[in-house]
mmCIF file of all heavy atoms in Angstrom:
data_model
loop_
_atom_site.group_PDB
_atom_site.id
_atom_site.type_symbol
_atom_site.label_atom_id
_atom_site.label_comp_id
_atom_site.label_asym_id
_atom_site.label_seq_id
_atom_site.Cartn_x
_atom_site.Cartn_y
_atom_site.Cartn_z
ATOM 1 N N LEU R 21 68.787 79.712 78.940
ATOM 2 C CA LEU R 21 67.687 79.525 77.989
ATOM 3 C C LEU R 21 67.710 78.085 77.512
ATOM 4 O O LEU R 21 68.746 77.594 77.067
ATOM 5 C CB LEU R 21 67.828 80.467 76.791
ATOM 6 C CG LEU R 21 67.852 81.963 77.098
ATOM 7 C CD1 LEU R 21 67.967 82.767 75.803
ATOM 8 C CD2 LEU R 21 66.621 82.378 77.877
ATOM 9 N N GLY R 22 66.559 77.444 77.596
ATOM 10 C CA GLY R 22 66.490 76.037 77.263
ATOM 11 C C GLY R 22 66.256 75.785 75.784
ATOM 12 O O GLY R 22 65.596 76.562 75.096
ATOM 13 N N CYS R 23 66.835 74.703 75.288
ATOM 14 C CA CYS R 23 66.616 74.256 73.917
ATOM 15 C C CYS R 23 66.643 72.733 73.915
ATOM 16 O O CYS R 23 67.628 72.135 74.363
ATOM 17 C CB CYS R 23 67.684 74.805 72.986
ATOM 18 S SG CYS R 23 67.586 74.140 71.297
ATOM 19 N N ASN R 24 65.602 72.126 73.398
ATOM 20 C CA ASN R 24 65.560 70.682 73.225
ATOM 21 C C ASN R 24 65.204 70.358 71.777
ATOM 22 O O ASN R 24 64.468 71.093 71.139
ATOM 23 C CB ASN R 24 64.524 70.046 74.151
ATOM 24 C CG ASN R 24 64.992 69.997 75.576
ATOM 25 O OD1 ASN R 24 64.778 70.934 76.343
ATOM 26 N ND2 ASN R 24 65.654 68.917 75.933
ATOM 27 N N TYR R 25 65.737 69.262 71.298
ATOM 28 C CA TYR R 25 65.466 68.849 69.932
ATOM 29 C C TYR R 25 65.060 67.385 69.934
ATOM 30 O O TYR R 25 65.332 66.647 70.896
ATOM 31 C CB TYR R 25 66.698 69.070 69.030
ATOM 32 C CG TYR R 25 67.891 68.270 69.472
ATOM 33 C CD1 TYR R 25 68.145 67.005 68.942
ATOM 34 C CD2 TYR R 25 68.751 68.767 70.440
ATOM 35 C CE1 TYR R 25 69.227 66.260 69.369
ATOM 36 C CE2 TYR R 25 69.843 68.020 70.881
ATOM 37 C CZ TYR R 25 70.067 66.785 70.334
ATOM 38 O OH TYR R 25 71.135 66.040 70.773
ATOM 39 N N SER R 26 64.418 66.982 68.851
ATOM 40 C CA SER R 26 63.922 65.609 68.824
ATOM 41 C C SER R 26 64.466 64.830 67.627
ATOM 42 O O SER R 26 63.841 63.867 67.180
ATOM 43 C CB SER R 26 62.393 65.594 68.791
ATOM 44 O OG SER R 26 61.923 66.277 67.642
ATOM 45 N N TYR R 27 65.622 65.248 67.111
ATOM 46 C CA TYR R 27 66.215 64.558 65.970
ATOM 47 C C TYR R 27 67.205 63.510 66.434
ATOM 48 O O TYR R 27 67.862 63.679 67.454
ATOM 49 C CB TYR R 27 66.928 65.568 65.057
ATOM 50 C CG TYR R 27 65.982 66.556 64.463
ATOM 51 C CD1 TYR R 27 65.695 67.734 65.122
ATOM 52 C CD2 TYR R 27 65.353 66.307 63.246
ATOM 53 C CE1 TYR R 27 64.813 68.650 64.595
ATOM 54 C CE2 TYR R 27 64.468 67.216 62.707
ATOM 55 C CZ TYR R 27 64.207 68.375 63.391
ATOM 56 O OH TYR R 27 63.320 69.272 62.858
ATOM 57 N N GLY R 28 67.317 62.469 65.625
ATOM 58 C CA GLY R 28 68.312 61.457 65.924
ATOM 59 C C GLY R 28 69.487 61.594 64.992
ATOM 60 O O GLY R 28 69.577 62.521 64.191
ATOM 61 N N GLY R 29 70.406 60.677 65.093
ATOM 62 C CA GLY R 29 71.567 60.712 64.213
ATOM 63 C C GLY R 29 72.545 61.793 64.633
ATOM 64 O O GLY R 29 72.527 62.300 65.748
ATOM 65 N N THR R 30 73.380 62.158 63.702
ATOM 66 C CA THR R 30 74.391 63.182 63.955
ATOM 67 C C THR R 30 73.733 64.561 63.935
ATOM 68 O O THR R 30 72.989 64.885 63.011
ATOM 69 C CB THR R 30 75.471 63.127 62.870
ATOM 70 O OG1 THR R 30 76.032 61.811 62.858
ATOM 71 C CG2 THR R 30 76.560 64.147 63.144
ATOM 72 N N VAL R 31 74.011 65.362 64.959
ATOM 73 C CA VAL R 31 73.422 66.698 65.029
ATOM 74 C C VAL R 31 74.503 67.767 65.124
ATOM 75 O O VAL R 31 75.579 67.529 65.671
ATOM 76 C CB VAL R 31 72.444 66.850 66.209
ATOM 77 C CG1 VAL R 31 71.206 65.996 66.017
ATOM 78 C CG2 VAL R 31 73.116 66.558 67.528
ATOM 79 N N ASN R 32 74.207 68.907 64.565
ATOM 80 C CA ASN R 32 74.996 70.120 64.752
ATOM 81 C C ASN R 32 74.052 71.144 65.375
ATOM 82 O O ASN R 32 72.904 71.269 64.960
ATOM 83 C CB ASN R 32 75.524 70.649 63.424
ATOM 84 C CG ASN R 32 76.383 69.622 62.713
ATOM 85 O OD1 ASN R 32 77.357 69.136 63.241
ATOM 86 N ND2 ASN R 32 75.995 69.277 61.494
ATOM 87 N N LEU R 33 74.535 71.866 66.378
ATOM 88 C CA LEU R 33 73.664 72.712 67.174
ATOM 89 C C LEU R 33 74.167 74.144 67.178
ATOM 90 O O LEU R 33 75.379 74.379 67.223
ATOM 91 C CB LEU R 33 73.598 72.172 68.607
ATOM 92 C CG LEU R 33 73.100 70.731 68.680
ATOM 93 C CD1 LEU R 33 73.680 70.015 69.882
ATOM 94 C CD2 LEU R 33 71.586 70.707 68.748
ATOM 95 N N PHE R 34 73.231 75.074 67.146
ATOM 96 C CA PHE R 34 73.574 76.481 67.024
ATOM 97 C C PHE R 34 72.684 77.328 67.938
ATOM 98 O O PHE R 34 71.532 76.988 68.187
ATOM 99 C CB PHE R 34 73.337 76.974 65.580
ATOM 100 C CG PHE R 34 74.028 76.166 64.530
ATOM 101 C CD1 PHE R 34 73.469 74.992 64.055
ATOM 102 C CD2 PHE R 34 75.230 76.592 64.003
ATOM 103 C CE1 PHE R 34 74.112 74.245 63.075
ATOM 104 C CE2 PHE R 34 75.872 75.853 63.021
ATOM 105 C CZ PHE R 34 75.313 74.677 62.562
ATOM 106 N N TRP R 35 73.261 78.440 68.377
ATOM 107 C CA TRP R 35 72.461 79.522 68.929
ATOM 108 C C TRP R 35 72.759 80.770 68.103
ATOM 109 O O TRP R 35 73.916 81.132 67.900
ATOM 110 C CB TRP R 35 72.808 79.789 70.390
ATOM 111 C CG TRP R 35 72.102 78.887 71.352
ATOM 112 C CD1 TRP R 35 72.567 77.737 71.903
ATOM 113 C CD2 TRP R 35 70.781 79.064 71.879
ATOM 114 N NE1 TRP R 35 71.623 77.188 72.734
ATOM 115 C CE2 TRP R 35 70.520 77.982 72.738
ATOM 116 C CE3 TRP R 35 69.782 80.039 71.713
ATOM 117 C CZ2 TRP R 35 69.314 77.838 73.433
ATOM 118 C CZ3 TRP R 35 68.583 79.907 72.390
ATOM 119 C CH2 TRP R 35 68.357 78.821 73.239
ATOM 120 N N TYR R 36 71.682 81.387 67.629
ATOM 121 C CA TYR R 36 71.774 82.651 66.916
ATOM 122 C C TYR R 36 71.114 83.733 67.775
ATOM 123 O O TYR R 36 70.190 83.461 68.545
ATOM 124 C CB TYR R 36 71.040 82.580 65.575
ATOM 125 C CG TYR R 36 71.818 81.918 64.460
ATOM 126 C CD1 TYR R 36 71.828 80.530 64.313
ATOM 127 C CD2 TYR R 36 72.544 82.676 63.553
ATOM 128 C CE1 TYR R 36 72.531 79.928 63.290
ATOM 129 C CE2 TYR R 36 73.256 82.088 62.519
ATOM 130 C CZ TYR R 36 73.241 80.704 62.393
ATOM 131 O OH TYR R 36 73.945 80.117 61.374
ATOM 132 N N VAL R 37 71.555 84.962 67.558
ATOM 133 C CA VAL R 37 70.977 86.092 68.283
ATOM 134 C C VAL R 37 70.594 87.174 67.281
ATOM 135 O O VAL R 37 71.253 87.362 66.255
ATOM 136 C CB VAL R 37 71.967 86.651 69.327
ATOM 137 C CG1 VAL R 37 73.240 87.152 68.679
ATOM 138 C CG2 VAL R 37 71.323 87.750 70.163
ATOM 139 N N GLN R 38 69.493 87.843 67.586
ATOM 140 C CA GLN R 38 69.082 88.972 66.762
ATOM 141 C C GLN R 38 68.860 90.170 67.677
ATOM 142 O O GLN R 38 67.865 90.228 68.419
ATOM 143 C CB GLN R 38 67.815 88.644 65.983
ATOM 144 C CG GLN R 38 67.453 89.715 64.967
ATOM 145 C CD GLN R 38 66.416 89.227 63.972
ATOM 146 O OE1 GLN R 38 65.585 88.386 64.280
ATOM 147 N NE2 GLN R 38 66.471 89.758 62.765
ATOM 148 N N TYR R 39 69.809 91.102 67.650
ATOM 149 C CA TYR R 39 69.660 92.333 68.428
ATOM 150 C C TYR R 39 68.652 93.242 67.722
ATOM 151 O O TYR R 39 68.472 93.142 66.516
ATOM 152 C CB TYR R 39 71.010 93.034 68.588
ATOM 153 C CG TYR R 39 72.004 92.200 69.366
ATOM 154 C CD1 TYR R 39 73.021 91.508 68.705
ATOM 155 C CD2 TYR R 39 71.916 92.087 70.748
ATOM 156 C CE1 TYR R 39 73.910 90.717 69.412
ATOM 157 C CE2 TYR R 39 72.806 91.299 71.468
ATOM 158 C CZ TYR R 39 73.804 90.613 70.780
ATOM 159 O OH TYR R 39 74.671 89.825 71.486
ATOM 160 N N PRO R 40 68.006 94.125 68.453
ATOM 161 C CA PRO R 40 66.984 94.995 67.847
ATOM 162 C C PRO R 40 67.522 95.724 66.620
ATOM 163 O O PRO R 40 68.575 96.374 66.687
ATOM 164 C CB PRO R 40 66.649 95.970 68.984
ATOM 165 C CG PRO R 40 66.947 95.206 70.231
ATOM 166 C CD PRO R 40 68.127 94.343 69.907
#
Side-chain angles (χ1 to χ4, degrees):
Chain R
L21 301 181
C23 173
N24 285 89
Y25 61 93
S26 60
Y27 297 89
T30 303
V31 293
N32 302 303
L33 302 151
F34 306 83
W35 276 96
Y36 279 84
V37 61
Q38 188 166 30
Y39 297 103

